């Protein structure tokens, strides 16, 4: 069995765990679809999983390995969507390749670049890495939501999380785009931000999606 | 004839340039989205007759709202010989985004860097010669509000349309925003040094920070009340009604009629109880005109100062609760000027749901300036409690109606992203020209309706139908609303225009026929009463037959219902205002 296969199975178990499912049969079924019949037994021998009373659970080693795997996969998705503007249909296959090749250093670098995101584009949790824990200690992160910026401070737009294309388009047409310097002018009762000599009033949930570099 | 289209970001002065080129006045204000209709005119530019088209402002040629789409459509359909991009010189990045899009689409363009004075105040330097070379486009600097650079602009337009180029339009790639190119050119051609914050900028901030902005808004309202409700509605109307009409025009008209018109019935048509002169004209000119002029004047100052969009910042959160966003504040506030024009401005909202809610609320609960003026005039005799009761009930209806319509009407809300223009000192000339244009509009549009309404009353009276209607309406007007039977006349003419109905109540009040409770009940009813004919027509045009009819079918009984409830409550709790 290749490392690649082990990774796939670890992922399947992790995803089931997230849904609160640890029944051996259910997991086994999905693995069998991938034609890997004896894989679980082999992984138990290797000390990655435990099979007790028809339930499957991770050993500490297995959990660490799975967690890192999912972290790489979901961070890759974030990177592809937020920064590289990848199409939805190419997302999954590309992210799958990324998860096997990223080193821990590169993963942490990407995580930092993205401002230690907590969720992947599908809304699933991204397991935190060492860099996230350190960043929590450091109050300032390199990239942060515009809502965290103090009034009057000029910052540079890093990227805009676009849930909807029209919003991104509209912000762009006001000149709010990556690389542009902006400033929070006022926060309450509505946000007012300034781009060059234009003042724009907008709401908090839009401001939160504008990520900036201090 | 050669064709020139004016295009540019919102609020950069396209309409001012249009007036300079054609000599035609179109409304100019200091907020984005003043122009919602395309204006056309013919101007003589450097000896050459040219058709000029003024368009609603756009931020991008990939449109995101109805008014932006209108501009793109007109550009594609008209195929102008030259597109003059009017630009805000202090916002070069946004300017160039549009310039690059226009060029990419293939339009022959000329760039007019307008509002150079404001760029100068902000110490921004632009090397227009360098810019010309980079973008291969003639670039002119103007300060249109002062007429600076207009001659150069005209010459440049002439030069550019002398030998027109054949061109074909390309489609834009929706993903391409020219952001990088624009930023690059900006760095090359403009210098933006650090500078001090200008006084007007501080003033702008003062009006939007909650701590100072909210009290400021109340001060503005109070000033409006003093100027329109007290000064114009009492002194102005008193003078016009008692002296101009009471002592001169009406007696003179009656004397002339006695002398020239022998037939009593025709004489009455002009100077009788429901006479064209004694009722229609004296309502329109003696009661409404002074109030309206004062309101228009005050309003023009507000519009030109750039204050109105700042209210959106304060009100966005409240407007969210009624299914709208802060963007809808401008149409709503404009409704206090004229609901008909405001209903047109509703177009600038982005979703159909928001447009329907805004149209409905304008028709229901926003009294227009003429009506508001008359109402303010009537209220000046009331106690503060009665005035607050009126304001409270109308605001309550506005909020509740908005809240429920946001629950009922399907669709989505749009993002609140609104450009806030700089605070500017209003220019006397524009204020007066605008006020004058609006008064003229009122005289031409509303006064004929007053005359028709009065004539209708006259004939109904002569045919004894008026009496019949008053009897018929008496269960509602007298029993339910607790008003004198004659108030039915006010509601009847209110069908033509709500302000005319209000003027009818005003006249009843001046004859001492209404007590304070009755004033409040009648004012609440007439405030909510059906929209005027012009507004109804615009509602049909903008929102369609079905929506317009549904709205009016709801409002008509609803207005009486609320009036009746208030009357009942006042009686039940034995409240005497």
């Amino acid at each position: 069995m290749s490392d690649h296969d082990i990774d796939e199975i670890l992922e399947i178990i992790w995803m089931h765990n997230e849904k609160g499912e640890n029944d051996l049969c259910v997991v086994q079924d999905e693995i069998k679809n991938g034609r890997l019949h004896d894989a679980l037994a082999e992984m138990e021998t290797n000390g990655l999983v435990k099979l007790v009373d028809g339930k499957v659970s991770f050993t500490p080693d297995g959990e660490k390995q799975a967690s890192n795997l999912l972290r790489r996969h979901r961070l890759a998705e974030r990177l592809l969507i937020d920064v590289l503007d990848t199409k939805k249909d190419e997302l999954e296959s590309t992210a799958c390749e990324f998860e096997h090749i990223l080193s821990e250093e590169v993963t942490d670098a990407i995580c930092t670049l993205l401002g230690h995101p907590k969720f992947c584009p599908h809304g699933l949790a991204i397991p935190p890495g060492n860099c996230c824990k350190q960043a929590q200690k450091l109050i300032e992160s390199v990239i942060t939501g515009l809502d965290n910026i103090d009034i009057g401070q000029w910052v540079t737009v890093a990227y805009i999380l676009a849930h909807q294309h029209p919003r991104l388009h509209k912000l762009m047409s006001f000149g709010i785009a990556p690389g542009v310097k902006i400033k929070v002018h006022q926060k309450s009762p509505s946000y007012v931000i300034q781009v060059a000599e234009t003042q724009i009033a907008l709401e908090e949930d839009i401001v939160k999606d504008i990520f900036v570099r201090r | 004839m050669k064709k020139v289209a004016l295009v540019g970001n919102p609020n950069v002065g396209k309409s001012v340039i249009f007036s300079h080129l054609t000599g035609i006045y179109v409304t100019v204000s200091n907020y984005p989205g003043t122009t919602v209709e395309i204006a056309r005119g013919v101007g003589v530019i450097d000896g050459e007759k040219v058709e000029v088209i003024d368009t609603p402002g756009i931020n991008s040629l990939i449109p995101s709202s109805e008014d932006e789409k209108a501009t793109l459509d007109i550009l594609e359909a008209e195929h102008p010989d030259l597109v003059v991009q009017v630009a805000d010189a202090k916002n070069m990045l946004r300017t160039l985004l549009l310039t690059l899009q226009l060029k990419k689409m293939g339009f022959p363009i000329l760039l007019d860097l307008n509002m150079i004075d404001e760029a100068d105040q902000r110490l921004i330097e632009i090397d227009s010669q360098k810019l010309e070379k980079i973008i291969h486009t003639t670039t002119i600097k103007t300060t249109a509000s002062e007429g600076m650079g207009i001659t150069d602009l005209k010459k440049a337009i002439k030069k550019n349309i002398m030998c027109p180029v054949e061109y074909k339009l390309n489609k834009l790639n929706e993903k391409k925003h020219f952001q990088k190119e624009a930023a690059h050119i900006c760095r090359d051609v403009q210098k933006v040094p650090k500078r001090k914050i200008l006084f007007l900028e501080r003033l702008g901030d003062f009006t939007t920070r909650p701590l100072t902005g909210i009290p400021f808004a109340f001060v503005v309202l109070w000033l409006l009340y003093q100027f329109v409700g007290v000064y114009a509605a009492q002194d102005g109307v008193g003078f016009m009604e008692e002296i101009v009409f009471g002592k001169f025009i009406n007696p003179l008209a009656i004397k002339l009629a006695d002398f020239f018109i022998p037939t009593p019935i025709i004489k009455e048509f002009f100077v009788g109880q429901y006479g064209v002169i004694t009722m229609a004209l004296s309502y329109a000119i003696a009661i409404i005109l002074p109030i309206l002029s004062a309101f228009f004047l005050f309003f023009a100052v507000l519009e030109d100062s750039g204050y109105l969009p700042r209210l959106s910042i304060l009100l966005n959160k409240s407007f969210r609760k009624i299914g709208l966003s802060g963007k809808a504040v401008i149409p709503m506030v404009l409704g206090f000027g004229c609901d008909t024009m405001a209903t047109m401005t509703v177009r600038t909202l982005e979703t159909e749901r928001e447009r329907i809610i805004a149209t409905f609320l304008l028709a229901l609960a926003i009294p227009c300036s003429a009506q508001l003026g008359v109402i303010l005039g009537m209220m000046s005799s009331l106690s503060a409690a009665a005035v607050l009761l009126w304001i409270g009930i109308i605001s309550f209806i506005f909020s509740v109606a908005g809240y429920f319509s946001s629950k009922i009407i399907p669709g989505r809300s749009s993002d609140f992203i609104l450009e806030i223009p700089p605070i500017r000192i209003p220019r006397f000339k524009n204020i007066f020209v605008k006020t004058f244009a609006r008064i003229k509009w009122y005289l031409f549009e509303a006064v004929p309706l007053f005359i028709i309404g009065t004539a209708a009353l006259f004939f109904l009276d002569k045919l004894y139908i008026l009496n019949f209607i008053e009897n018929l309406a008496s269960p509602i007007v007298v029993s339910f609303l607790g008003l004198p039977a004659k108030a039915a006349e006010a509601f009847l003419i209110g069908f033509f225009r709500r302000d005319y109905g209000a003027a009818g109540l005003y006249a009843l009040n001046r004859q001492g026929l209404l007590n304070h409770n009755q004033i409040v009940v009648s004012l609440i009813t007439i405030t909510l009463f059906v929209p005027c004919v012009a507004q109804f027509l615009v509602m049909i045009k903008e929102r369609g037959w079905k929506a317009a009819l549904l709205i009016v079918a709801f409002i008509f009984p609803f207005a009486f219902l609320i009036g009746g409830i208030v009357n009942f409550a006042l009686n039940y709790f034995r409240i005497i205002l």
Side-chain angles (χ1 to χ4, degrees), chain A residues 4-22:
Chain A
H4 205 108
D5 293 336
I6 294 175
D7 284 355
E8 292 303 320
I9 295 169
L10 285 173
E11 248 179 35
I12 291 171
I13 301 173
W14 180 276
M15 306 268 267
H16 279 286
N17 272 354
E18 271 179 343
K19 291 180 219 154
E21 173 74 73
N22 61 354

Side-chain angles (χ1 to χ4, degrees), chain A residues 85-87 151 154 164-180 183-192 194-206, chain B residues 9 59-60 62-64 68 90-91 93-94 97 122 124 174-175 177 179 192 195 201 205 208-210 310 312-317 320 325 327 350 412 414-421:
Chain A
D85 203 13
T86 311
K87 288 200 184 87
I151 289 172
W154 284 96
Q164 328 149 0
H165 186 68
R167 178 183 290 182
L168 181 71
H169 171 70
K170 206 145 92 195
L171 289 172
M172 294 269 241
S173 66
F174 278 118
I176 304 173
V180 172
K183 170 178 97 166
V184 176
H185 193 72
Q186 172 176 343
K187 288 195 173 186
S188 158
S190 304
Y191 273 81
V192 177
Q194 184 154 352
V195 193
E197 291 293 339
T198 307
Q199 284 191 355
I200 297 155
L202 27 70
E203 275 164 319
E204 193 169 2
D205 40 316
I206 306 174
Chain B
N9 294 110
N59 280 314
S60 164
I62 305 158
S64 65
E68 285 195 345
K90 64 184 185 298
N91 271 309
L93 182 67
R94 289 175 60 194
L97 282 176
R122 289 162 176 79
I124 296 171
E174 286 205 16
K175 285 246 155 146
H177 286 273
Q179 196 75 40
V192 186
R195 61 174 175 91
E201 291 176 307
D205 294 347
T208 56
R209 304 262 144 95
R310 286 176 163 75
S312 314
I313 299 177
L314 297 176
L315 290 172
N316 177 52
K317 279 193 181 148
R320 275 296 181 208
S325 78
K327 238 190 146 177
E350 278 147 54
R412 55 177 198 92
S414 64
D415 285 342
F416 173 55
I417 304 179
L418 181 73
E419 185 181 352
I420 306 296

Side-chain angles (χ1 to χ4, degrees), chain B residues 201-252:
Chain B
E201 291 176 307
R202 281 185 203 285
L203 187 66
D205 294 347
F206 182 83
T207 62
T208 56
R209 304 262 144 95
L211 216 59
T212 48
I214 293 167
F216 184 81
F218 280 103
V219 170
V220 170
L221 278 180
W222 182 79
L223 283 174
L224 174 71
Y225 174 74
Q226 285 299 315
F227 187 62
V228 180
V230 178
Y231 175 69
Q234 288 173 19
D235 302 351
V237 173
F239 173 77
M240 290 294 284
E241 204 187 15
E242 282 153 28
I243 305 196
V244 177
F245 268 79
K247 294 230 164 78
F248 296 98
I249 294 182
N250 286 348
L252 184 72

Side-chain angles (χ1 to χ4, degrees), chain A residues 121-133:
Chain A
H122 308 96
L124 298 169
I126 300 175
N130 280 331
C131 67
C132 305
K133 286 162 202 156

Side-chain angles (χ1 to χ4, degrees), chain A residues 58-77:
Chain A
F58 284 121
T59 63
D61 273 357
E63 181 161 5
K64 186 145 188 271
Q65 200 172 328
S67 150
N68 284 337
L69 202 60
L70 266 297
R71 173 171 157 74
R72 290 198 291 272
H73 183 93
R74 289 174 183 170
L75 276 173
E77 287 180 337

Side-chain angles (χ1 to χ4, degrees), chain B residues 413-453:
Chain B
S413 304
S414 64
D415 285 342
F416 173 55
I417 304 179
L418 181 73
E419 185 181 352
I420 306 296
I423 290 277
R424 298 191 171 119
I425 296 170
R427 282 162 200 279
F428 277 111
K429 197 180 152 207
N430 191 47
I431 299 272
F432 284 108
V433 172
K434 180 152 66 177
T435 306
F436 182 73
R438 285 177 175 164
I439 291 172
K440 202 169 105 185
W441 167 82
Y442 163 77
L443 290 176
F444 279 98
E445 170 133 356
V447 174
L449 275 175
F450 280 34
I451 293 173
I452 294 171

